[in-house]
Amino acid sequence: VRGKARATRASWTPSGGSRGPDPSAKRWRAQFGGGAAMAAPVLPEDISRKLLEDPAVQQSIQDTCSKTSRDAADALLNEEVQSSILKACEERFPDWAAPLKARMKEWIEDPQVGNTSRLATEWTIGLHQGEMDIVTLARVQQGPPTIRMICVGGCFVAIVHCLIGLGDLSSLLRDPVSYAVTLYQLIFSSAALLFEVRAEMIQAVGLLDSSQNYLLEKAQFLAENLGRGIFYIFQATLWISFLGKTDSMGGFCFLYSLVTGILLIGVRLTKTTVLTNKVTTVYRPVAKEVLP
């Protein structure tokens, strides 16, 4: 299907489509209303095309094609597909819903409708596959093995300490500010940990992999030693709020975050960075923006 979709794109452009009653309905009936001289098509060509491009109709057609191994034209014979088409027609072109319902079989058997169904489906699938085929190579900077293990250990200590602190719900009433900071530190430490662990370990777990991909797009600085080092120092400033309290682990996390931040900045300055490549697949639903 991919090859067909690419070959078709040059000659197939999705219609703009507009919702609500179609103003051409009266003109169409005036032209073919008598029906004595010539048989009127069930729907105008542009209306048929807009219905077959409808996202809900396309989803139903593609699901049927996957289940039955039929092409997009034969999928129109499926009752669920017909129901989705009729529903789309009632919502978008109510003036044409009654004629379509009465002459659905005739409309489906129209060769032009079948060809339009194939083209619209191939275009939609081609757009999705074209986007899913975008592969990017992300570079994640890490320190030498010893420093990397120190950073991993620091993140784990911070995460465990935060989980213990959040488990004490009474502290939410006693000191809500510290409780909120603890929650932030849990999120920050978990995010930083994704870039300290080896890439293959992250990619082995779907949730962790998708989370890292999101951060690579939205928080690129975490993939760099300098950015992550400054981020650790920022975390250390948050840990300062725990100094002077009975929570001794807060002070330990402050020192640990400060040291790891300085170490990573030192790695950048001494040019001892270890680069790790990660292959990611980018997907964006462009078809939803193109189709009406």
Side-chain angles (χ1 to χ4, degrees):
V1 173
R2 178 192 296 178
K4 292 183 179 178
R6 289 179 177 172
T8 305
R9 291 185 192 184
S11 59
W12 177 262
T13 304
S15 57
S18 60
R19 298 191 176 273
D22 181 56
S24 65
K26 293 183 179 179
R27 294 196 303 270
W28 186 262
R29 292 195 185 97
Q31 181 178 356
F32 297 100
M38 57 185 301
V42 179
L43 298 177
E45 182 180 353
D46 62 326
I47 300 296
S48 296
R49 181 171 178 173
K50 291 170 185 176
L51 287 177
L52 293 171
E53 290 174 348
D54 186 89
V57 173
Q58 273 299 307
Q59 185 63 54
S60 180
I61 290 175
Q62 293 176 35
D63 290 344
T64 301
C65 290
S66 300
K67 295 176 182 177
T68 63
S69 300
R70 293 181 175 181
D71 69 0
D74 292 336
L76 298 178
L77 298 173
N78 184 275
E79 292 183 358
E80 294 182 0
V81 173
Q82 294 176 19
S83 298
S84 66
I85 293 172
L86 187 58
K87 181 179 179 181
C89 188
E90 291 172 347
E91 294 176 352
R92 302 180 59 181
F93 311 106
D95 290 343
W96 295 103
L100 177 61
K101 184 176 182 181
R103 302 171 61 187
M104 177 68 76
K105 185 175 184 295
E106 180 183 345
W107 181 74
I108 291 174
E109 293 176 349
D110 187 343
Q112 182 61 37
V113 172
N115 187 50
T116 301
S117 178
R118 293 189 188 96
L119 291 174
T121 303
E122 289 171 0
W123 171 265
T124 305
I125 294 176
L127 279 176
H128 281 290
Q129 289 186 341
E131 286 300 313
M132 292 179 69
D133 286 343
I134 297 178
V135 177
T136 60
L137 182 64
R139 292 184 177 272
V140 178
Q141 297 181 2
Q142 294 179 330
T146 302
I147 294 180
R148 185 170 61 83
M149 292 306 299
I150 292 174
C151 294
V152 170
C155 290
F156 267 120
V157 170
I159 289 173
V160 172
H161 175 61
C162 290
L163 290 175
I164 293 175
L166 293 175
D168 183 11
L169 297 180
S170 61
S171 62
L172 178 60
L173 300 177
R174 295 195 313 268
D175 192 355
V177 175
S178 295
Y179 194 90
V181 172
T182 302
L183 177 61
Y184 298 153
Q185 292 287 48
L186 174 63
I187 298 173
F188 294 157
S189 298
S190 300
L193 181 62
L194 294 176
F195 293 91
E196 301 294 356
V197 179
R198 291 184 343 196
E200 55 268 24
M201 296 177 63
I202 296 297
Q203 288 181 303
V205 182
L207 178 60
L208 298 182
D209 186 45
S210 59
S211 299
Q212 188 184 57
N213 290 343
Y214 180 82
L215 291 173
L216 282 169
E217 183 178 356
K218 303 297 184 181
Q220 177 65 33
F221 69 92
L222 288 175
E224 303 174 358
N225 284 331
L226 179 60
R228 213 159 54 253
I230 296 175
F231 185 65
Y232 284 141
I233 294 177
F234 164 71
Q235 282 189 269
T237 62
L238 294 180
W239 285 120
I240 291 178
S241 62
F242 291 87
L243 297 179
K245 298 182 179 181
T246 56
D247 183 10
S248 59
M249 282 298 296
F252 176 78
C253 290
F254 159 73
L255 291 175
Y256 212 124
S257 297
L258 183 63
V259 170
T260 53
I262 294 173
L263 285 175
L264 281 185
I265 293 176
V267 168
R268 169 63 182 271
L269 296 177
T270 57
K271 298 181 179 180
T272 55
T273 296
V274 177
L275 288 177
T276 301
N277 294 329
K278 181 186 179 184
V279 178
T280 61
T281 303
V282 180
Y283 170 77
R284 294 182 178 89
V286 174
K288 291 183 179 180
E289 300 174 4
V290 176
L291 296 178

